[in-house]
Every structure is written in C-alpha cells, then in structure tokens.
Amino acid sequence: MDAAVDGRSLWLIEAAKTVLNTPEVGFLEAKTSALVGQKLNELGIAHESGIALTGIKGYIRGANPGPTVAIIGELDALRITGHPYSDPETGAAHACGHHGQIGALLGAAVALSAPGVRESLSGNVALIAVPAEEFIDIGYRWGLREEGTLGLLSGKQEFIRLGQFDDVDMAMMVHTSSSPEDARFSLGGTSNGHVAKYVEFIGRASHAGGSPEHGVNALQAAMVALNALNAQRETMRNEDAVRLHGIISAGGTSVNSVPADVRYEGRVRGRDFESITDASAKMDRCLRAGALATGAKVRIVTVAGYLPMLNDPVLVDMFRRRAGDLVGPARVAIQPEDRNRGGSTDMGDLSHLMPAIHPYTGAASGGGHGVDYLIDDYDQAVIRPAKAMAMMAVDLLSDNAVRAREVLAKSPPRMTKAEYLKLQYGRMSEELYEGK
Ligand SMILES: [Zn+2]
Ligand SMILES: [Zn+2]
C-alpha cells in the first residue's frame, strides 16, 4: 500500500494544491467537489456526488462482509481577506488546511485500491468528502434552511441527518496543525461545542444629518448589545472555556441615513451543554438590551452548532502506533483527554454517534484561520496521513474485522441518530424582540 501511495505522491500533492488554488466556502464547493469526483473516477472508485449539495461518498468494498469504516476529508475553505491564496472575488482561502485533507483522503483511496487489499478486508471503507465544516455564512445557510435545502447547517450534520452515516460504524480524519505541541502527529484532547447566532437589528431609516430624531439607529443598538456582552465576561468560569465572539456582517448602507438594518453573526462556545446554554441565554439578554435601549427590534436566530469532540481511546491507540511507524514514536504527541483546543468541529457531532478520531498532523506554519496559515510540508499533510488512515482501516477490517468489532464493543454510541436530531432541533430557535 505504501508503494502505491508513494507512486502517486505527485498526483496527490498536485490535487491538494489545485484545491488550495480553488478555495470555495461551505456548500459552494462545486469545483472542489468535481475535482474529488474526477480523481475517484481515475482510481475507478464508484461514488455518489451532490450529497448535502456538494458532498461525495464512495466505497472500497472488502471481499467479506463486516463493519464500515469512514475516512473523511473536508472540502471547504473559509473567508480570510489578505491570505496569499485567497480568491480575490469571494475572499475564500484555505487558511485551515482542508486542501491537505482532500489529498490525504485521495491518498487513502489509492492505498486501499492497491492489489490484494480488498481481499484482506471484512467490511467496507467509505471515502467521504464533506462540505462546510467551517460554521460561517450563517445568514446564507439559514436562508437555505428556510427554503428547505438544508436541515442542519454544516456538512457532517447534514450527512448525519440525510442518513449518509447510517451505514458507517466508525470514522476518522486528519487535520493539519501548525502548533509545535502537536509534533508530527497529535492525538486525543477535545474541542468546544457551540451554538451560532444570526441576528438582525431592525431600526428606522431617516436623514442622519437633517432628522436623526426620526430614526432608530440599529448600529447603536448593536453597539449597546456588544458592550453588554463584554460586561458578561467576568461571569464566565475559566474551566468552562466559554468564548463569545462575532462579526458585524452588515453595518448600514448609506452614511447619510440612520442605519436601519444591521446584522450580527455571533458564536457561543463552551466545553459542555450547560456552559453553552448559560452563555447563550446571556448573549440573548444582551442582544435584547441593545434593542430596548434604542427602541429597535432584534430578530435572534439561534442555530444548533457543534458538539465537543470525543476521541475514541482504542482508535487513538491504533492511530498512535501507525503514526509512530511513519515518523517515530517520539514525534507522536498524546494530548490529555481534557485538553480543550478552544475551537470546534462537526467531527464532535459524529463522535457522539460512533467511535471517531480527529488527529492533527504538524504540516503547517502560521496561525490557524490567519493570513499566514500555509501547509509547507505536503508529505506530512497528505502522504503520511493517507498511509496512516489506510493502515488503520486495514488493521480494523482484516482478520474478520476483529479489531473493529473490539472498538464497537468497547465504545457504545453516546446517542442514537434520533436522539442527536432531537437534541439539535431543540437547540434551534427564533425570536423577534421589540424594544419599547
Ligand atoms: Zn477551521
Ligand atoms: Zn479545519
């Protein structure tokens, strides 16, 4: 298998770099998705496309029946103006290194397509390219939900809702990192969960110089709200890892008119449901306070975000060994279970439904989500993760899938799909508050 990947290494790295040069944000990854489809075709791997708009799912089917292991790559970029590889029109840029994941996913496909591999497998490997991991453009995605195109607002969430993980028993992916703490590979730890807020402050336009007394200033409402939010920070406990942050996504239209339509896209993160629920209620109070102070209205849409990541300990141990074979055991870091990276991923959602891992590969430099985040070691971003994931799949599914069955026996799911959907739909809400 390693020889097959090495033989295709230029092809794989070229694919990753093509994705880097074609950055597209979530649910709009048309060209990236088409590229993945074309590469799977070149490998002769049958697949379905257009799942959750741009997602792809193919299979390597083993000779014997057994569990299904998913290998996942994320298709999307985010918007980081000024990144050297940003799209000048959309601002989209691969400032989270997901292009490396696409190379690694294709590399695992190459490895598992090597002669003799399928014959050794009892079970299947699902190769999944998911849209929209970055939880952005919430107003746009909420619009897609209102028209019935989406149910949940991220790629893996939608794959779960659509039943695309119903036939999958466990899942893995590898994300790039630039943190020295992550060594060459890094395993374990956890991430924050979150909810998103899509907020419209609705005021009344009037001449900003001639008759401001007739206007209701939606931007002032937003400023009061954000200052009130800052006043909440002393109430947060460090151990809850709460992060409250957001952007003004529309701040007015003409400077000589009192701004009447101001949009805020916010995020409430925390280590567990209790801390997120508490902080979310505080954010709502602050948003209403802005409307109350100015006499504006505020529409608050709360969107179910991600669940904290649960890395499966047996899968962690298996990946640790395979990663150690590739880079030496001393260069594989194991993070304590409670080490919270602060960010969030929808792999956390999946990890509540099945055993899953979300390791990191130290292949990048610069700050994640920053203008200087670049993959500078493509062997470590693409080739070694591909080999590690393919070997993991073989380890799990060979010998009548004895290891995969052991993982499943030791790690019953935290929740069923029905429980998950109920939880997530229960975290969606919408209100219109009139400040008067
Ligand atoms: Zn990211
Ligand atoms: Zn990412």
Side-chain angles (χ1 to χ4, degrees), residues 74 78 95-98 133-134 175 344 368-369:
E74 296 164 344
L78 64 165
C96 202
H98 295 184
E133 187 277 332
E134 304 289 355
H175 196 289
S344 310
H369 291 197

Side-chain angles (χ1 to χ4, degrees), residues 152 160-161 166 273 304 307 349 352-354 412-427:
L152 296 167
I160 292 169
R161 183 183 74 88
D166 288 359
F273 292 118
L307 308 189
D349 295 44
H352 281 71
L353 300 178
M354 64 184 66
R414 299 292 177 103
M415 55 182 74
T416 64
K417 177 184 159 190
E419 287 165 345
Y420 168 77
L421 292 175
K422 187 171 172 223
L423 171 78
Q424 291 294 56
Y425 283 125
R427 300 205 301 158

